[in-house]
Amino acid sequence: MFEIFNLVFTDPNFLSAFSQTIIIIALGFLFMRKGIVDISAKKTLTALIWKLAVPCFAFNAFMQDFEWNSFKASLTEFLLAVIFYIVLIIIGKLIFLKKGKDFSTVSGFMIAIGQTTLFSMPILQSVYENKAQEVMLYISTISIVFRIFVYIVATTVISGEKITLKKLGPQLKKVFITPVMIGMFLGILVFVSQNKVPFLRIDKSLPVLYVTVKALARMVGPLCMLLIGMSIGEAKITECLKDGFAWLLAVLRNLIAPVIILCICFLMHKTGIYHFNEYSLMAIVVGFSAPISVTLSIACMQYGKEEVLASRACVISTLLTLLTFPLSFVMVHLALQWM
């Protein structure tokens, strides 16, 4: 156990990524609290992240040589992510079933859905700086499932609207016709077709131009952490900290959810159902260790479903992540040692 703690907390890449996260979140918080930036600045930053930096980040994740085994493994991660989301949603609903339909529904989604794109992806990229492509293929695939659940499943269920063919079209468009998903699907297209159409690998065929894509992709981590800090800076933290149910949801999301996912993966590996390597296991566990999704909180506010609880739980979960995220890395390394 001590050796694993020593391995994680003396790893220069991990320490750099973690300290960078804390410092930039703190700067975002202070900038918002001191009035150095305002809501309009936050909106501008959000637009830059989602429409420019993250699409380049998503595209860049697939700029690696195609291997059939890696492709099959990423598809498996996709299916596992779908199953794990469903399992966690059901567990959350059962835990809070006596609190009423709206409370249990919102709680189930909050326990299941975290900020995979804005939190897990940039941190994993920083931790695996020298082998980023290995882990980014898996976490990018999981991110697709995240967007489906947060923008289609959660939004539809929380709104209470029935899914019809008329409404399904706009919902699908909202999820898939976005800069992030377009960048991701273009990356997948290049990844799977590069052996037949090699010039599509613009990192090799047009490196002078591709350097811009890489530069924008590297901006994701700092910009996302700054945005998260600014969001915390808007919140009434004292009131959040007094909410017992918000704390319970945050603990279930940040600590219990990744433990459940890790245990299932460990059993799958031991029984031979599916064999994980360090990158695939780290991607799925850390992907489910991210704090509660801000997008989910916004959906609760939009449809008037437990919006106060959702907002407070989101803030506490984000703060708590600074303690629980390193534990997720330790747990994964422990599991890898026993595998």
Side-chain angles (χ1 to χ4, degrees):
M1 176 73 78
F2 177 77
E3 291 179 359
I4 297 298
F5 272 92
N6 188 55
L7 173 67
V8 172
F9 292 104
T10 58
D11 181 349
N13 286 334
F14 176 82
L15 291 175
S16 297
F18 190 60
S19 62
Q20 171 184 282
T21 298
I22 294 175
I23 292 169
I24 297 179
I25 287 177
L27 286 173
F29 174 83
L30 289 173
F31 274 38
M32 183 60 77
R33 279 298 171 96
K34 297 296 182 181
I36 299 173
V37 296
D38 55 16
I39 300 299
S40 61
K42 182 186 172 187
K43 289 180 179 179
T44 301
L45 181 58
T46 301
L48 287 172
I49 290 172
W50 285 113
K51 295 182 179 181
L52 189 61
V54 173
C56 290
F57 184 80
F59 180 77
N60 186 57
F62 294 92
M63 292 303 102
Q64 54 182 295
D65 294 338
F66 179 83
E67 291 181 3
W68 180 243
N69 288 335
S70 296
F71 182 63
K72 287 195 297 183
S74 66
L75 291 179
T76 302
E77 294 267 314
F78 181 94
L79 293 174
L80 286 176
V82 171
I83 294 169
F84 290 158
Y85 273 119
I86 294 171
V87 168
L88 291 175
I89 289 169
I90 292 172
I91 290 174
K93 283 182 67 67
L94 290 175
I95 290 173
F96 296 102
L97 196 59
K98 293 183 179 180
K99 294 292 292 180
K101 183 180 177 181
D102 287 348
F103 193 101
S104 63
T105 298
V106 169
S107 297
F109 282 117
M110 299 194 83
I111 292 169
I113 302 174
Q115 299 186 60
T116 304
T117 305
L118 293 184
F119 207 94
S120 298
M121 289 179 71
I123 288 183
L124 282 173
Q125 185 192 41
S126 297
V127 172
Y128 289 97
E129 184 178 6
N130 299 324
K131 295 183 178 179
Q133 301 295 66
E134 298 278 357
V135 73
M136 294 314 297
L137 178 64
Y138 298 115
I139 192 65
S140 295
T141 305
I142 294 168
S143 179
I144 296 174
V145 185
F146 156 74
R147 294 183 68 80
I148 292 171
F149 269 83
V150 75
Y151 286 108
I152 295 181
V153 181
T155 302
T156 302
V157 174
I158 290 172
S159 68
E161 298 177 356
K162 293 183 178 180
I163 300 177
T164 63
L165 289 176
K166 185 177 180 180
K167 293 178 180 178
L168 185 59
Q171 281 289 83
L172 291 174
K173 183 178 179 181
K174 182 179 179 181
V175 174
F176 294 108
I177 311 301
T178 63
V180 177
M181 295 303 283
I182 290 171
M184 192 170 291
F185 286 133
L186 285 175
I188 293 172
L189 176 64
V190 172
F191 178 67
V192 299
S193 63
Q194 61 183 283
N195 291 337
K196 293 185 178 180
V197 195
F199 71 86
L200 290 178
R201 281 289 301 273
I202 61 173
D203 57 324
K204 295 181 177 180
S205 60
L206 294 170
V208 176
L209 296 179
Y210 192 71
V211 69
T212 303
V213 176
K214 290 186 67 176
L216 289 170
R218 285 194 294 267
M219 291 170 59
V220 170
L223 291 181
C224 287
M225 298 310 145
L226 196 62
L227 180 62
I228 290 170
M230 291 165 68
S231 298
I232 297 173
E234 289 181 296
K236 296 178 181 179
I237 296 180
T238 303
E239 293 181 8
C240 294
L241 296 177
K242 293 179 181 178
D243 193 322
F245 279 111
W247 270 103
L248 179 56
L249 283 174
V251 170
L252 287 170
R253 169 61 211 171
N254 290 41
L255 192 58
I256 305 303
V259 168
I260 291 172
I261 301 305
L262 181 59
C263 288
I264 295 173
C265 292
F266 183 81
L267 289 173
M268 289 178 66
H269 185 92
K270 279 295 190 181
T271 55
I273 295 174
Y274 178 69
H275 290 283
F276 292 89
N277 58 34
E278 178 181 349
Y279 308 109
S280 60
L281 185 62
M282 190 67 77
I284 200 158
V285 174
V286 170
F288 279 89
S289 301
I292 294 169
S293 170
V294 173
T295 306
L296 185 60
S297 177
I298 292 171
C300 292
M301 294 179 193
Q302 182 179 352
Y303 297 107
K305 300 289 179 66
E306 302 294 341
E307 61 267 33
V308 175
L309 173 68
S311 176
R312 290 175 178 176
C314 191
V315 171
I316 295 174
S317 179
T318 303
L319 293 171
L320 195 60
T321 303
L322 300 179
L323 296 176
T324 59
F325 223 64
L327 289 178
S328 294
F329 281 87
V330 170
M331 289 190 300
V332 170
H333 281 291
L334 277 172
L336 288 169
Q337 191 177 59
W338 293 333
M339 284 179 175

